[in-house]
């Protein structure tokens, strides 16, 4: 497979604003041979995926693509880490549209192409820290969420953004489980405060490792919010609702004491059942590499001001 992989990433390359701002912006150049998804290979999205990755100097290893696309959480396909890669191939993602509703001047049903067309894709190498205390480093390809939201013209009452994943039990076996065997309620819903959603680090991803997003990673459209636990980074988005009140989110509803609405990565606030002080950086070895977890997943310089004055033990 034609994936350019850099062995390492400098820690400073992953985080700071100067870096992600200067990161090469990809224009819509063709990328024949890089495409993972046959349905999209001949299509419009595939042609816009860039043919190279952004930044050459690295120090903190990228997670191998094979691992990032085979160790997944996507409960719509089952709760085992290998379930999404095993079952997601059956998901139809073309055509795809996103319904935009609520506190916006331009509600409507937008095709994926409508959503993406005006924007240049950017590569963002981010840490992904799961609430289960494992982590990866992934080179995403996407567009700033704020640029997309602005096009829908949020009203003055838009205080939060709610995202909803596709509900299609016929293609998502995890949605067919019921009663004792059901894990969480579907459709999966996540949300951000509007200023979080407008933060330049928050992106909508359509690719990773220089190719179209694998279905198990949330194709064709997922959120990536790198300073929050991974469950905020909702996959397979079909609906965006801007609202005046805090959305009711899936994990928060299922276990409110364990999963807060904010879910900012915080090594000082433990999960009720395990420590969040460190994490297993997955590298393909049996145990992974145990490292300290950083406040806001290492993005404190960029995002801490969003929460000034807030008690982060209460708003976990
Ligand atoms: N989105 C949906 N729709 N369903 C899910 O189960 N799992 C979340 C998040 N997005 C999930 C989801 C969790 S817990 C994590 S850690 C990340 O996806 C994992 O993303 P990855 O599989 O691409 O590493």
């Amino acid at each position: 497979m034609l994936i350019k992989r850099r062995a390492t990433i400098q820690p400073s390359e992953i985080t700071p604003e100067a870096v992600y701002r200067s990161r090469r912006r990809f224009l819509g150049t063709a990328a024949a041979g890089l495409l993972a998804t046959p349905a999209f290979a001949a299509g419009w999205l595939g042609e816009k995926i860039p043919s190279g990755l952004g930044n050459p100097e690295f120090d903190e290893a990228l997670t191998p693509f094979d691992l990032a696309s085979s160790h997944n959480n996507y409960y719509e396909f089952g709760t085992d880490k290998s379930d999404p890669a095993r079952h997601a191939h059956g998901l139809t993602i073309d055509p795809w549209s996103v319904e935009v509703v609520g506190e916006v001047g331009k509600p409507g049903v937008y095709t994926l192409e409508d959503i993406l067309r005006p924007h240049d894709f950017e590569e963002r190498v981010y840490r992904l820290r799961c609430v289960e205390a494992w982590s990866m480093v992934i080179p995403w390809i996407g567009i700033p969420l704020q640029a997309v939201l602005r096009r829908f013209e949020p009203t003055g009452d838009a205080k939060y953004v709610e995202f909803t994943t596709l509900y299609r039990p016929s293609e998502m076996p995890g949605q067919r489980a019921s009663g004792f065997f059901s894990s969480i309620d579907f459709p999966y819903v996540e949300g951000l405060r509007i200023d979080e959603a407008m933060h330049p680090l928050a992106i909508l991803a359509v690719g990773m490792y220089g190719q179209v997003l694998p279905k198990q990673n949330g194709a064709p459209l997922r959120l990536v919010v790198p300073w929050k636990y991974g469950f905020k980074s909702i996959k397979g988005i079909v609906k965006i609702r801007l609202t005046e009140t805090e959305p009711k989110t899936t994990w928060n509803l299922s276990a409110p004491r364990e999963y807060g609405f904010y879910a900012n990565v915080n090594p000082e606030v433990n999960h009720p059942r395990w420590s969040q002080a460190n994490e297993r950086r997955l590298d393909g070895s049996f145990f992974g590499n145990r490292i300290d977890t950083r406040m806001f997943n290492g993005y404190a310089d960029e995002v801490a001001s969003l929460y000034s004055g807030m008690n982060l033990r209460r708003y976990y």
Side-chain angles (χ1 to χ4, degrees):
M1 202 177 324
L2 251 178
I3 305 165
K4 287 191 189 162
R5 287 191 197 135
R6 271 70 50 87
T8 54
I9 258 190
Q10 285 184 0
S12 58
E13 289 287 333
I14 299 180
T15 313
E17 184 166 344
V19 172
Y20 68 76
R21 282 202 188 285
S22 69
R23 201 172 287 288
R24 177 149 74 88
R25 292 173 71 84
F26 293 107
L27 298 170
T29 51
L34 284 175
L35 305 173
T37 316
F40 276 18
W44 175 87
L45 175 58
E47 297 202 345
K48 283 198 89 183
I49 292 287
S51 59
L53 296 179
N55 218 310
E57 302 99 42
F58 290 96
D59 198 350
E60 198 170 331
L62 286 186
T63 302
F65 170 83
D66 291 348
L67 191 54
S69 58
S70 63
H71 179 281
N72 299 103
N73 276 333
Y74 201 167
Y75 276 39
E76 285 82 343
F77 296 101
T79 54
D80 196 272
K81 296 288 178 277
S82 63
D83 283 337
R86 258 194 292 148
H87 301 302
H89 59 87
L91 181 65
T92 308
I93 57 171
D94 185 12
W96 192 270
S97 57
V98 179
E99 188 186 359
V100 178
V101 295
E103 295 295 337
V104 287
K106 291 190 167 166
V109 176
Y110 294 81
T111 66
L112 185 63
E113 187 175 343
D114 291 336
I115 302 252
L116 300 177
R117 188 199 292 278
H119 305 281
D120 293 337
F121 292 153
E122 301 175 31
E123 185 189 57
R124 302 282 184 89
V125 180
Y126 285 158
R127 302 183 194 91
L128 174 80
R129 176 26 166 110
C130 180
V131 74
E132 299 163 341
W134 53 263
S135 64
M136 300 191 186
V137 176
I138 298 181
W140 302 105
I141 292 163
I143 53 184
L145 175 61
Q146 56 158 287
V148 178
L149 293 178
R150 287 226 162 87
R151 285 172 46 218
F152 307 141
E153 299 178 359
T155 71
D157 289 332
K159 307 269 167 43
Y160 296 89
V161 188
E162 178 193 86
F163 303 87
T164 306
T165 296
L166 178 70
Y167 181 71
R168 192 183 288 156
S170 61
E171 292 184 351
M172 296 176 132
Q175 292 179 337
R176 299 200 288 266
S178 64
F180 177 77
F181 294 102
S182 72
S183 46
I184 48 177
D185 283 340
F186 297 107
Y188 195 101
V189 174
E190 258 310 334
L192 297 172
R193 227 170 47 190
I194 190 81
D195 56 340
E196 299 176 318
M198 292 295 184
H199 192 281
L201 280 179
I203 61 167
L204 286 172
V206 296
M208 62 186 219
Y209 299 82
Q211 60 182 317
V212 172
L213 210 54
K215 292 180 182 178
Q216 59 268 34
N217 292 87
L221 192 67
R222 74 173 288 174
L223 184 67
V224 181
V225 199
W227 69 95
K228 293 177 177 286
Y229 291 119
F231 68 85
K232 300 295 288 185
S233 291
I234 182 172
K235 301 176 173 184
I237 297 168
V238 291
K239 186 170 175 188
I240 298 178
R241 186 169 73 98
L242 284 88
T243 147
E244 194 167 3
T245 52
E246 188 179 288
K248 303 252 178 280
T249 53
T250 297
W251 283 104
N252 184 238
L253 284 172
S254 86
R257 286 193 53 254
E258 304 193 359
Y259 309 105
F261 173 79
Y262 282 91
N264 292 314
V265 175
N266 188 341
E268 289 160 20
V269 178
N270 288 335
H271 185 278
R273 290 182 280 133
W274 59 85
S275 164
Q276 295 290 27
N278 50 49
E279 67 203 50
R280 205 159 47 93
R281 172 64 53 83
L282 301 186
D283 57 7
S285 67
F286 188 71
F287 290 113
N289 185 18
R290 186 59 69 178
I291 58 174
D292 288 343
T293 290
R294 296 163 65 186
M295 191 65 204
F296 297 112
N297 203 21
Y299 302 97
D301 288 351
E302 286 85 3
V303 302
S305 62
L306 293 173
Y307 311 101
S308 55
M310 281 175 68
N311 178 348
L312 297 180
R313 290 189 177 276
R314 177 157 177 232
Y315 297 101
Y316 53 91

Coordinates of all heavy atoms in Angstrom, one line a residue, residues 67-78 81 84 128-132 134 136 138 140 164-166 172 175 184 186-190 208 213-214 216-218 222-223 229-237 251, ligand 1:
L67 N -2.2 -0.7 12.8 CA -2.7 -0.7 14.2 C -3.9 0.3 14.4 O -4.9 0.0 14.9 CB -1.6 -0.3 15.2 CG -1.8 -0.5 16.7 CD1 -2.2 -1.9 17.0 CD2 -0.5 -0.2 17.4
A68 N -3.7 1.5 13.8 CA -4.7 2.6 13.9 C -6.0 2.2 13.2 O -7.1 2.7 13.5 CB -4.2 3.9 13.4
S69 N -5.9 1.2 12.3 CA -7.1 0.8 11.5 C -7.6 -0.6 11.9 O -8.4 -1.1 11.3 CB -6.8 0.9 10.0 OG -5.7 0.0 9.7
S70 N -7.0 -1.1 13.0 CA -7.4 -2.5 13.4 C -7.8 -2.5 14.9 O -8.4 -3.5 15.3 CB -6.4 -3.5 13.1 OG -5.2 -3.3 13.8
H71 N -7.4 -1.5 15.7 CA -7.7 -1.4 17.1 C -8.6 -0.2 17.2 O -8.1 0.9 17.3 CB -6.3 -1.3 17.9 CG -6.5 -1.1 19.3 ND1 -6.9 0.1 20.0 CD2 -6.3 -2.0 20.4 CE1 -7.0 -0.1 21.3 NE2 -6.6 -1.4 21.5
N72 N -9.9 -0.5 17.2 CA -10.8 0.6 17.2 C -11.9 0.5 18.2 O -12.3 -0.6 18.6 CB -11.5 0.7 15.8 CG -10.4 0.9 14.7 OD1 -10.1 0.0 14.0 ND2 -9.9 2.1 14.5
N73 N -12.5 1.7 18.5 CA -13.8 1.7 19.2 C -14.8 2.3 18.3 O -14.7 3.4 17.8 CB -13.7 2.6 20.4 CG -13.1 1.9 21.7 OD1 -13.2 0.7 21.8 ND2 -12.5 2.7 22.5
Y74 N -15.8 1.5 18.0 CA -16.9 1.9 17.1 C -18.0 0.9 17.5 O -18.2 -0.1 16.8 CB -16.5 1.8 15.7 CG -17.3 2.7 14.7 CD1 -16.8 2.9 13.4 CD2 -18.5 3.3 15.0 CE1 -17.5 3.7 12.5 CE2 -19.2 4.1 14.1 CZ -18.7 4.3 12.8 OH -19.4 5.0 11.9
Y75 N -18.7 1.2 18.6 CA -19.7 0.3 19.1 C -20.8 -0.1 18.2 O -21.4 -1.2 18.4 CB -20.2 0.8 20.4 CG -19.3 0.6 21.6 CD1 -17.9 0.7 21.5 CD2 -19.9 0.2 22.9 CE1 -17.1 0.5 22.6 CE2 -19.1 0.0 24.0 CZ -17.7 0.1 23.9 OH -16.9 -0.1 24.9
E76 N -21.0 0.7 17.2 CA -22.0 0.3 16.2 C -21.7 -1.0 15.5 O -22.5 -1.7 14.9 CB -22.1 1.4 15.1 CG -22.9 2.7 15.6 CD -22.0 3.6 16.4 OE1 -20.9 3.2 16.9 OE2 -22.4 4.8 16.5
F77 N -20.4 -1.4 15.6 CA -19.9 -2.6 14.9 C -19.5 -3.7 15.9 O -19.0 -4.7 15.6 CB -18.8 -2.3 14.0 CG -19.2 -1.5 12.8 CD1 -18.9 -0.1 12.8 CD2 -20.0 -2.0 11.8 CE1 -19.3 0.7 11.8 CE2 -20.4 -1.2 10.7 CZ -20.1 0.2 10.7
G78 N -19.7 -3.4 17.2 CA -19.4 -4.4 18.3 C -18.4 -3.7 19.3 O -17.9 -2.7 19.0
K81 N -12.3 -4.6 20.2 CA -11.4 -3.7 19.4 C -11.3 -4.1 18.0 O -11.0 -3.3 17.1 CB -10.0 -3.6 20.1 CG -10.0 -3.0 21.5 CD -10.3 -1.5 21.4 CE -10.3 -0.9 22.8 NZ -11.6 -1.0 23.5
P84 N -14.8 -3.4 14.7 CA -15.0 -2.4 13.6 C -14.3 -2.8 12.3 O -14.9 -2.8 11.2 CB -14.5 -1.1 14.2 CG -14.6 -1.3 15.7 CD -14.3 -2.8 15.9
L128 N -4.2 10.9 20.0 CA -5.6 10.4 20.3 C -5.5 9.7 21.6 O -4.9 8.6 21.7 CB -6.1 9.5 19.2 CG -7.5 8.9 19.5 CD1 -8.6 9.9 19.3 CD2 -7.7 7.6 18.7
R129 N -6.1 10.2 22.7 CA -6.0 9.6 24.0 C -7.4 9.1 24.4 O -8.4 9.8 24.6 CB -5.5 10.6 25.0 CG -5.4 10.4 26.5 CD -5.2 9.0 27.0 NE -4.7 9.0 28.4 CZ -5.5 8.5 29.4 NH1 -6.7 8.1 29.2 NH2 -5.0 8.5 30.6
C130 N -7.6 7.7 24.4 CA -8.8 7.1 24.8 C -9.0 7.2 26.3 O -8.1 7.1 27.1 CB -8.9 5.7 24.3 SG -10.5 4.9 24.7
V131 N -10.3 7.3 26.7 CA -10.6 7.3 28.2 C -10.2 6.0 28.8 O -10.0 5.9 30.0 CB -12.1 7.6 28.4 CG1 -13.0 6.4 28.0 CG2 -12.4 8.1 29.8
E132 N -10.0 5.0 28.0 CA -9.5 3.7 28.5 C -8.0 3.6 28.8 O -7.5 2.5 29.1 CB -9.9 2.5 27.5 CG -11.4 2.4 27.3 CD -11.7 1.6 26.0 OE1 -10.8 1.5 25.1 OE2 -12.9 1.2 25.9
W134 N -5.4 4.2 26.7 CA -4.4 3.9 25.6 C -4.4 5.1 24.7 O -5.3 5.9 24.7 CB -4.8 2.6 24.9 CG -6.1 2.5 24.4 CD1 -7.2 1.8 24.9 CD2 -6.7 3.0 23.1 NE1 -8.3 1.9 24.2 CE2 -8.0 2.6 23.0 CE3 -6.1 3.7 22.1 CZ2 -8.8 3.0 22.0 CZ3 -6.9 4.1 21.0 CH2 -8.3 3.7 21.0
M136 N -2.7 6.9 20.8 CA -2.0 6.7 19.5 C -1.6 8.1 19.0 O -2.0 9.1 19.6 CB -3.0 6.1 18.4 CG -3.6 4.8 18.8 SD -4.5 4.1 17.3 CE -5.2 2.6 18.0
I138 N -1.8 10.0 15.3 CA -2.4 9.7 14.0 C -2.3 11.0 13.1 O -2.7 12.1 13.5 CB -3.9 9.3 14.2 CG1 -4.0 8.0 15.0 CG2 -4.6 9.2 12.8 CD1 -5.4 7.5 15.2
W140 N -4.1 12.9 10.7 CA -5.5 13.0 10.1 C -5.4 13.9 8.8 O -4.5 14.8 8.7 CB -6.4 13.6 11.1 CG -6.6 12.9 12.3 CD1 -6.1 13.2 13.6 CD2 -7.3 11.7 12.6 NE1 -6.4 12.3 14.5 CE2 -7.2 11.4 13.9 CE3 -8.1 10.9 11.7 CZ2 -7.8 10.2 14.5 CZ3 -8.7 9.7 12.3 CH2 -8.6 9.4 13.7
T164 N -24.5 13.6 15.6 CA -25.2 12.3 15.6 C -24.6 11.4 14.6 O -24.4 11.8 13.4 CB -26.7 12.4 15.4 OG1 -27.2 13.4 16.4 CG2 -27.4 11.1 15.7
T165 N -24.3 10.2 15.0 CA -23.8 9.1 14.1 C -25.0 8.5 13.3 O -26.1 8.4 13.9 CB -23.0 8.1 14.9 OG1 -21.9 8.7 15.4 CG2 -22.6 6.9 14.0
L166 N -24.7 7.9 12.2 CA -25.7 7.2 11.4 C -26.3 6.1 12.3 O -25.7 5.4 13.1 CB -24.9 6.5 10.3 CG -25.7 5.6 9.3 CD1 -26.7 6.4 8.5 CD2 -24.8 4.7 8.5
M172 N -25.1 -2.1 10.6 CA -24.2 -1.8 11.8 C -24.7 -2.9 12.9 O -25.6 -2.6 13.7 CB -24.4 -0.4 12.3 CG -23.9 0.6 11.3 SD -24.2 2.3 11.9 CE -22.6 3.1 11.6
Q175 N -25.7 -2.2 16.5 CA -27.0 -1.5 16.8 C -28.1 -2.5 16.9 O -29.2 -2.1 17.3 CB -27.3 -0.5 15.7 CG -26.3 0.7 15.7 CD -26.6 1.7 14.6 OE1 -27.2 1.4 13.6 NE2 -26.1 2.9 14.8
I184 N -24.6 0.5 24.5 CA -25.0 1.9 24.8 C -26.2 2.1 23.9 O -26.5 1.3 23.0 CB -23.9 2.9 24.3 CG1 -23.3 2.5 23.0 CG2 -22.8 3.0 25.4 CD1 -22.3 3.5 22.4
F186 N -28.3 3.8 20.9 CA -27.9 4.4 19.6 C -29.1 5.2 19.1 O -30.2 5.0 19.5 CB -27.6 3.3 18.6 CG -26.4 2.5 18.9 CD1 -26.6 1.2 19.5 CD2 -25.2 3.0 18.8 CE1 -25.5 0.4 19.8 CE2 -24.0 2.3 19.2 CZ -24.2 1.0 19.7
P187 N -28.9 6.2 18.2 CA -27.6 6.6 17.6 C -26.7 7.3 18.6 O -27.1 7.9 19.6 CB -28.0 7.6 16.5 CG -29.3 8.2 17.0 CD -30.0 7.1 17.7
Y188 N -25.4 7.1 18.4 CA -24.4 7.7 19.2 C -24.4 9.2 19.0 O -24.5 9.7 17.9 CB -23.0 7.2 18.6 CG -21.8 7.4 19.5 CD1 -21.3 6.4 20.3 CD2 -21.1 8.6 19.5 CE1 -20.1 6.5 21.0 CE2 -19.9 8.7 20.2 CZ -19.4 7.7 21.0 OH -18.3 7.8 21.7
V189 N -24.4 9.9 20.1 CA -24.5 11.4 20.1 C -23.3 12.0 20.9 O -23.0 11.5 21.9 CB -25.8 11.9 20.7 CG1 -25.9 13.4 20.8 CG2 -27.0 11.4 19.8
E190 N -22.7 13.0 20.3 CA -21.7 13.7 21.1 C -21.9 15.2 20.9 O -22.7 15.7 20.1 CB -20.3 13.4 20.6 CG -19.6 12.4 21.6 CD -19.7 12.9 23.0 OE1 -19.7 14.1 23.3 OE2 -19.6 12.0 23.9
M208 N -6.8 9.7 6.7 CA -5.7 9.6 7.6 C -4.6 8.9 6.9 O -4.8 8.1 5.9 CB -6.1 8.9 8.9 CG -6.6 7.4 8.8 SD -7.1 6.8 10.4 CE -6.5 5.1 10.3
L213 N -10.3 8.0 4.8 CA -10.6 7.3 6.1 C -11.1 5.9 6.0 O -12.1 5.7 5.2 CB -11.6 8.2 6.8 CG -11.6 8.3 8.3 CD1 -10.3 8.8 8.9 CD2 -12.8 9.3 8.7
P214 N -10.5 4.9 6.6 CA -11.1 3.6 6.6 C -12.5 3.7 7.3 O -12.7 4.5 8.2 CB -10.2 2.8 7.5 CG -8.9 3.5 7.4 CD -9.2 4.9 7.3
Q216 N -13.8 1.8 9.5 CA -13.7 1.5 10.9 C -13.2 2.7 11.7 O -13.4 2.8 12.9 CB -12.9 0.3 11.2 CG -11.4 0.4 10.8 CD -11.2 -0.2 9.4 OE1 -12.1 -0.1 8.5 NE2 -10.1 -0.8 9.1
N217 N -12.6 3.7 11.0 CA -12.2 4.9 11.7 C -13.2 6.0 11.5 O -12.9 7.2 11.9 CB -10.8 5.3 11.2 CG -9.7 4.4 11.6 OD1 -9.4 3.4 10.9 ND2 -9.1 4.6 12.7
G218 N -14.3 5.7 10.9 CA -15.4 6.8 10.9 C -15.7 7.4 9.6 O -16.4 8.4 9.6
R222 N -15.8 12.2 10.3 CA -15.7 12.1 11.8 C -15.2 13.4 12.4 O -14.5 14.2 11.7 CB -14.9 10.9 12.2 CG -13.4 11.2 12.1 CD -12.6 10.1 12.7 NE -12.6 10.0 14.1 CZ -12.1 9.1 14.9 NH1 -11.5 8.1 14.3 NH2 -12.1 9.2 16.2
L223 N -15.4 13.5 13.7 CA -14.9 14.7 14.4 C -13.5 14.2 15.0 O -13.4 13.0 15.4 CB -15.9 15.0 15.5 CG -15.6 16.2 16.4 CD1 -15.7 17.5 15.6 CD2 -16.6 16.2 17.5
Y229 N -10.9 13.2 25.6 CA -10.9 11.8 25.5 C -11.6 11.4 24.1 O -12.5 12.0 23.7 CB -11.6 11.1 26.7 CG -10.8 11.3 27.9 CD1 -11.4 11.9 29.0 CD2 -9.5 10.8 28.0 CE1 -10.7 12.1 30.2 CE2 -8.8 11.0 29.2 CZ -9.4 11.6 30.3 OH -8.6 11.8 31.4
G230 N -11.1 10.3 23.6 CA -11.4 9.9 22.2 C -12.9 9.7 22.0 O -13.4 9.9 20.9
F231 N -13.7 9.4 23.1 CA -15.1 9.2 22.8 C -15.9 10.4 22.3 O -16.9 10.4 21.8 CB -15.8 8.5 24.0 CG -16.0 9.4 25.3 CD1 -17.1 10.3 25.4 CD2 -15.1 9.3 26.3 CE1 -17.2 11.0 26.5 CE2 -15.2 10.0 27.5 CZ -16.3 10.9 27.6
K232 N -15.2 11.6 22.5 CA -15.8 12.8 22.0 C -15.7 12.9 20.5 O -16.5 13.6 19.8 CB -15.2 14.1 22.6 CG -15.3 14.2 24.1 CD -16.7 14.4 24.6 CE -17.3 15.8 24.3 NZ -18.7 15.9 24.9
S233 N -14.7 12.2 19.9 CA -14.4 12.3 18.5 C -15.4 11.3 17.7 O -15.0 10.3 17.2 CB -13.0 12.0 18.2 OG -12.2 13.0 18.7
I234 N -16.6 11.8 17.5 CA -17.6 10.9 17.0 C -17.4 10.6 15.5 O -17.0 11.5 14.7 CB -19.0 11.6 17.3 CG1 -20.2 10.8 16.8 CG2 -19.0 13.0 16.6 CD1 -21.5 11.4 17.2
K235 N -17.8 9.4 15.2 CA -17.6 8.9 13.8 C -18.9 8.9 13.0 O -20.0 8.9 13.6 CB -17.1 7.4 13.9 CG -15.8 7.3 14.6 CD -15.3 5.8 14.8 CE -14.0 5.7 15.4 NZ -13.5 4.3 15.4
G236 N -18.8 8.7 11.7 CA -19.9 8.5 10.8 C -21.0 9.6 11.0 O -22.2 9.2 11.2
I237 N -20.7 10.8 11.0 CA -21.6 11.9 11.3 C -22.7 12.1 10.2 O -22.3 12.3 9.1 CB -20.9 13.2 11.6 CG1 -19.9 13.1 12.8 CG2 -21.8 14.4 11.8 CD1 -18.9 14.2 12.9
W251 N -22.3 8.7 26.1 CA -21.6 8.1 27.2 C -22.0 8.8 28.5 O -22.1 8.2 29.6 CB -20.1 8.2 27.0 CG -19.7 7.1 26.1 CD1 -19.3 7.3 24.8 CD2 -19.6 5.7 26.4 NE1 -19.1 6.0 24.2 CE2 -19.2 5.1 25.2 CE3 -19.8 4.9 27.5 CZ2 -19.0 3.7 25.1 CZ3 -19.7 3.5 27.4 CH2 -19.3 2.9 26.2
Ligands
LIG1 N1 -18.1 7.2 17.4 C1 -19.1 6.4 17.3 N2 -20.1 6.7 16.5 N3 -19.2 5.2 18.0 C2 -18.2 4.8 18.9 O1 -18.3 3.8 19.5 N4 -16.0 5.4 19.9 C3 -15.3 6.6 20.4 C4 -14.8 7.5 19.2 N5 -15.9 7.7 18.3 C5 -17.1 5.7 19.0 C6 -17.0 6.9 18.2 C7 -14.1 6.2 21.1 S1 -14.4 5.6 22.7 C8 -12.8 6.4 20.7 S2 -11.5 6.1 21.7 C9 -12.6 6.8 19.3 O2 -13.7 6.9 18.5 C10 -11.7 5.8 18.6 O3 -11.3 6.2 17.3 P1 -10.4 5.2 16.4 O4 -11.1 3.9 16.4 O5 -10.3 5.9 15.1 O6 -9.1 5.1 17.1

